[in-house]
Amino acid sequence: MSISKVSVLGLGYIGLPTAAVIASRGLNVIGVDVNKHAVDTINLGLAHIVEPNLDYLVKNVVGSGYLKATMTIEPADAFIIAVPTPFRNEPGREHCPDLSFIKSACDEIAKVLKKGDLVILESTSPVGTTEKVAAWLAQSRNDLTFPQCSGVEADVNIAHCPERVIPGYVLEELVSNDRVIGGISPKCCDRAVELYKTFVQGECIATNARTAEMAKLTENSFRDVNIAFANELSIICDKLDINVWDLIKLTNRHPRVNVLQPGPGVGGHCIAVDPWFIVDSCPEEAKIIKQARLTNDAKPGYVIRKVQAEAKKYSNPTIACLGLAFKADIDDLRESPSVEIVESIAQMNIGEVLAVEPNIQQLPNSLSSTGVELVSYEQAISRADIVVLLVDHQQFKEIDKKALFAKVLIDTRGVILLSEGSDKELELSEMYELA
Ligand code: SAJ
């Protein structure tokens, strides 16, 4: 194995777990990040992000000397770029991918790149980005040869290997998921497979860089389109007075139908972002993908209007909002539709707003500054006139539904209506006044 030292650029939700897992296989790993707090925390043997078992793994690999974090690039045999690729809005071009973090990572790598090195782009990227990485590196280092010109003879190999892990199960999925490996040349694929095989138990499947980039965007767009379908259905069902949760449960009994779950909108840093990369590169063609984004982005507004309509029936009602995270059983509030909804309700001054989020200790400023109070589930329910269920956390699935009797319930996740057997659900449908 020609790779014994790996440098991971970007120590966030993907980079840190990846660095730690590779280090746990006995390779020397240098993690590089511009965030001093992250670097210092990791070097103390701690994780600066919340992910099950990550703290334990980081403690071990830092303690044994296989993982070290730094703010300065060092020479290595392989470089993995795991920096963010957000979008920005430019005049006349909304949702335009921002590759500046990838470009900065390339500038750093170019300083120490040498013959025989492998560069992997893991960040989710628009089609053509790996080719850009190759061009940027070639521009900075004309003393080396690159695969876009020299093919399998190149001094440096470059590939795209998109991450596919789901928050909450990152350490398991890093090892068990299949990996798509898109090389600029077949040799790039071989070298990247060699590296990933040190820790991946799933299959490593070789393709070209453009297909690998599109594969990742397709996976997240597929999910977005299917969630948009479910969200649209939920609005149609409201209008037609049908319980959408019962409906989906019934339709999913068809052997070839699997409708996803409606919710208050799509959050997180991936599914709500990546489809725009396809739309940006093919705006005329990507019609369904774009509409799915718009449909999912419009869902928080629909929920807010529903709460507003219910609140009008009271004078200064207490509105309890259950859940702030962007999805179930995590503490991550970034890009969360639930936070967007609670913030708007609080700003409208239509009542007293309580928030319940069992996975956090403190409200973000955007909520505490608008007067939202973080309370326990029990307090919220005893004080509430209107209960808005926003996240399907396990804790909420276990609640005593009788405590909700006579409250107005807006259940955006189907937790109250669909957590037990169908008979029970029908009883509940009859028992509660559903908004
Ligand atoms: N959601 C629904 N209904 C559903 C499923 C999800 O409303 O039926 C919502 C969630 O509540 C959340 C959002 O969608 O707000 C996104 O959650 P998610 O669980 O679908 O996905 P992420 O963003 O946590 O992770 C996704 C994954 N992609 C796919 O499942 C295709 C993961 O495998 C990727 O690695 C990750 O994006 C990424 O980093 O790109």
Side-chain angles (χ1 to χ4, degrees):
M1 163 93 185
S2 56
I3 299 169
S4 59
K5 186 171 173 186
V6 179
S7 177
V8 178
L9 289 92
L11 295 171
Y13 280 82
I14 302 300
L16 179 58
T18 303
V21 168
I22 298 176
S24 74
R25 298 299 187 269
L27 273 71
N28 285 309
V29 181
I30 307 292
V32 188
D33 204 291
V34 292
N35 176 346
K36 186 171 184 312
H37 166 72
V39 167
D40 292 344
T41 308
I42 294 163
N43 285 333
L44 289 172
L46 300 166
H48 64 293
I49 52 171
V50 178
E51 180 59 38
N53 303 320
L54 184 61
D55 251 329
Y56 174 78
L57 185 65
V58 169
K59 183 169 182 251
N60 272 333
V61 290
V62 170
S64 59
Y66 284 108
L67 174 64
K68 183 184 92 179
T70 167
M71 294 178 74
T72 322
I73 194 88
E74 290 181 17
D77 306 313
F79 297 87
I80 296 179
I81 303 173
V83 296
T85 39
F87 57 65
R88 58 167 192 262
N89 291 326
E90 283 183 359
R93 192 176 164 201
E94 283 188 352
H95 304 107
C96 156
D98 178 359
L99 303 184
S100 59
F101 298 101
I102 297 182
K103 172 74 169 70
S104 303
C106 289
D107 292 343
E108 287 302 299
I109 293 169
K111 293 178 188 166
V112 294
L113 198 64
K114 59 184 187 319
K115 186 171 175 169
D117 285 355
L118 171 68
V119 179
I120 309 262
L121 175 64
E122 273 221 13
S123 312
T124 304
S125 304
V127 173
T129 308
T130 313
E131 290 161 0
K132 284 196 171 113
V133 165
W136 288 328
L137 291 172
Q139 255 167 28
S140 319
R141 293 297 303 268
N142 55 17
D143 56 321
L144 295 168
T145 59
F146 289 84
Q148 64 274 33
C149 296
S150 308
V152 296
E153 304 298 329
D155 291 337
V156 175
N157 288 295
I158 299 169
H160 180 50
C161 182
E163 60 82 13
R164 301 166 118 181
V165 290
I166 196 110
Y169 298 90
V170 168
L171 292 180
E172 289 93 321
E173 289 207 358
L174 264 177
V175 173
S176 62
N177 285 0
D178 291 343
R179 296 301 290 249
V180 175
I181 299 199
I184 298 231
S185 75
K187 172 99 180 282
C188 298
C189 290
D190 292 347
R191 302 250 5 249
V193 170
E194 183 192 2
L195 172 60
Y196 280 88
K197 273 291 169 198
T198 60
F199 66 98
V200 171
Q201 282 165 10
E203 235 182 290
C204 294
I205 306 141
T207 181
N208 60 51
R210 294 176 80 82
T211 309
E213 287 160 347
M214 190 61 182
K216 168 67 195 219
L217 302 182
T218 302
E219 289 160 14
N220 280 355
S221 300
F222 174 85
R223 197 154 167 84
D224 198 42
V225 167
N226 282 283
I227 298 169
F229 178 74
N231 278 334
E232 184 168 298
L233 264 185
S234 73
I235 295 170
I236 293 170
C237 283
D238 269 358
K239 194 166 175 189
L240 299 181
D241 196 21
I242 292 167
N243 179 330
V244 70
W245 315 103
D246 287 345
L247 174 85
I248 292 175
K249 204 172 177 191
L250 294 172
T251 58
N252 285 355
R253 285 186 171 237
H254 185 289
R256 284 171 297 283
V257 172
N258 185 15
V259 179
L260 290 181
Q261 301 301 305
V266 167
H269 349 285
C270 309
I271 300 209
V273 174
D274 304 351
W276 287 118
F277 294 172
I278 301 181
V279 177
D280 182 67
S281 50
C282 298
E284 291 304 315
E285 295 78 10
K287 292 193 170 67
I288 295 177
I289 296 171
K290 180 176 180 184
Q291 187 51 52
R293 273 291 63 246
L294 298 175
T295 300
N296 286 333
D297 276 353
K299 193 69 195 288
Y302 177 79
V303 176
I304 292 163
R305 287 192 295 282
K306 249 175 130 171
V307 176
Q308 206 176 7
E310 288 304 321
K312 274 198 185 129
K313 299 176 189 165
Y314 295 79
S315 108
N316 200 33
T318 299
I319 305 166
C321 300
L322 307 188
L324 294 172
F326 87 82
K327 66 176 188 175
D329 305 324
I330 59 168
D331 67 344
D332 194 343
L333 308 192
R334 293 174 308 160
E335 321 298 333
S336 170
S338 311
V339 171
E340 183 186 337
I341 290 165
V342 178
E343 217 176 283
S344 297
I345 296 173
Q347 280 163 358
M348 288 186 306
N349 284 322
I350 50 174
E352 187 190 10
V353 182
L354 309 177
V356 181
E357 177 44 76
N359 300 309
I360 61 166
Q361 311 297 324
Q362 213 184 331
L363 283 178
N365 276 345
S366 67
L367 294 182
S368 50
S369 64
T370 43
V372 178
E373 206 186 323
L374 183 67
V375 297
S376 69
Y377 167 76
E378 288 76 17
Q379 268 184 26
I381 296 304
S382 78
R383 288 165 60 185
D385 300 302
I386 301 171
V387 176
V388 190
L389 195 141
L390 294 167
V391 186
D392 44 343
H393 287 316
Q394 192 55 39
Q395 289 95 331
F396 300 151
K397 291 182 179 166
E398 289 158 7
I399 60 188
D400 174 13
K401 288 161 193 159
K402 290 199 175 68
L404 296 174
F405 184 67
K407 313 262 177 201
V408 170
L409 172 67
I410 298 176
D411 181 359
T412 70
R413 298 275 189 179
V415 167
I416 308 301
L417 294 178
L418 203 66
S419 52
E420 294 175 38
S422 328
D423 293 350
K424 184 82 182 162
E425 282 150 27
L426 285 180
E427 257 176 51
L428 281 163
S429 305
E430 284 157 12
M431 190 165 135
Y432 293 116
E433 182 201 338
L434 293 173

